[in-house]
Amino acid sequence: MEIKATWYGRSAFLIEIDTFRILTDPYLKDNPDAKIDPDEIIADLVLVSHGHYDHVGDAVEIANRCNAPILTNPEICHWLTEKGSKTTLPIYISGKRDFPFGSVKAVAAAHGSSMPDGTYGGIALGFVIHVNDGKRIYFAGDTGLFGDMSLIGEEGIDIAMLPIGDIYVMGKAEAVRAIKLLEPKKVIPMHYTPSLALDGWKREIQQYTNVEALILNIGDEVLIASDMTELV
């Protein structure tokens, strides 16, 4: 089974599991760092971690065009439906929904979740993508460090996508602590200013853990095969 991930900036990834495409937190049109137009995206499922504008982004537009459901918490589902979303799938912490590639489980995230217009957006979520071949991908959404990341790590995480930008989410030091709790095989940083220097952070991870840090530029695609990972 072939798995690829493309980073579009902030927390927007396209995760391709064979021919199934999962889009996360698609903040593209108003993101000055994004290099792709929402109209260019094809998705079969959209994950929205919480209600902030830079995560809801272009979810309704892309999902409706692609006839893809949006998986998120019930409060955001209700808000998105009022904004014209055709299909939403509500989920909350520890809930799981099945898909052709496997399943998606909702997990906790330590963050707020108000909607772009200020209405209540429920609680923030992360997601663990369970692939039929046994791989596990943890998309943390926006979060600070919290001790129950060790429970998420018990899922057996292959790839962890973690925010590292500080102020509103974990910074680099806290992300290293998160990695020690999660014990993934590989980590991809997200939600940071592209100019942030990460060489020292990568060296620290290599020095204190057995985790491989994959530093992507916006637009980079990473191919994850059964026994190898490479940029393409």
Side-chain angles (χ1 to χ4, degrees):
M1 182 169 283
E2 183 175 275
I3 304 173
K4 294 187 292 185
T6 304
W7 187 41
Y8 295 135
R10 196 64 61 102
S11 300
F13 287 89
L14 186 68
I15 301 168
E16 299 175 73
I17 303 172
D18 283 341
T19 60
F20 197 97
R21 296 171 171 235
I22 304 170
L23 180 64
T24 67
D25 288 353
Y27 173 55
L28 302 171
K29 183 165 35 181
D30 295 326
N31 181 359
D33 295 320
K35 298 179 180 179
I36 190 168
D37 189 274
D39 290 339
E40 300 176 56
I41 300 287
I42 302 296
D44 300 296
L45 174 66
V46 179
L47 306 182
V48 173
S49 63
H50 65 288
H52 293 162
Y53 74 95
D54 57 335
H55 295 265
V56 172
D58 309 293
V60 172
E61 173 187 337
I62 294 170
N64 284 353
R65 177 174 50 79
C66 297
N67 292 314
I70 301 173
L71 183 67
T72 187
N73 73 39
E75 290 85 357
I76 297 176
C77 284
H78 177 73
W79 189 89
L80 292 173
T81 299
E82 289 189 332
K83 300 300 179 183
S85 179
K86 293 178 182 177
T87 307
T88 60
L89 297 175
I91 196 169
Y92 247 141
I93 292 171
S94 295
K96 184 177 73 171
R97 285 190 178 267
D98 294 330
F99 298 95
F101 61 84
S103 62
V104 178
K105 179 180 178 180
V107 295
H111 197 67
S113 186
S114 60
M115 304 308 300
D117 61 6
T119 57
Y120 177 60
I123 61 175
L125 300 175
F127 298 100
V128 178
I129 300 169
H130 292 240
V131 183
N132 285 329
D133 71 354
K135 288 188 176 60
R136 304 290 183 263
I137 303 166
Y138 171 45
F139 174 76
D142 275 13
T143 190
L145 178 71
F146 59 98
D148 281 353
M149 284 181 170
S150 61
L151 297 179
I152 297 172
E154 289 177 6
E155 304 266 350
I157 303 300
D158 292 280
I159 302 290
M161 298 170 169
L162 299 181
I164 64 166
D166 217 338
I167 308 298
Y168 298 109
V169 295
M170 293 185 291
K172 291 185 289 185
E174 296 291 77
V176 173
R177 297 178 67 188
I179 290 166
K180 292 177 181 177
L181 292 174
L182 292 162
E183 297 184 333
K185 294 178 182 177
K186 304 178 191 297
V187 62
I188 299 175
M190 64 180 185
H191 205 292
Y192 64 93
T193 302
S195 61
L196 184 66
L198 296 181
D199 288 347
W201 182 74
K202 184 174 182 177
R203 284 195 299 270
E204 185 176 0
I205 292 171
Q206 292 172 333
Q207 182 177 357
Y208 295 109
T209 75
N210 294 318
V211 178
E212 180 184 359
L214 304 175
I215 312 299
L216 305 184
N217 295 312
I218 293 175
D220 278 352
E221 177 184 276
V222 63
L223 173 64
I224 306 159
S226 59
D227 59 354
M228 61 180 285
T229 300
E230 58 181 272
L231 292 178
V232 296

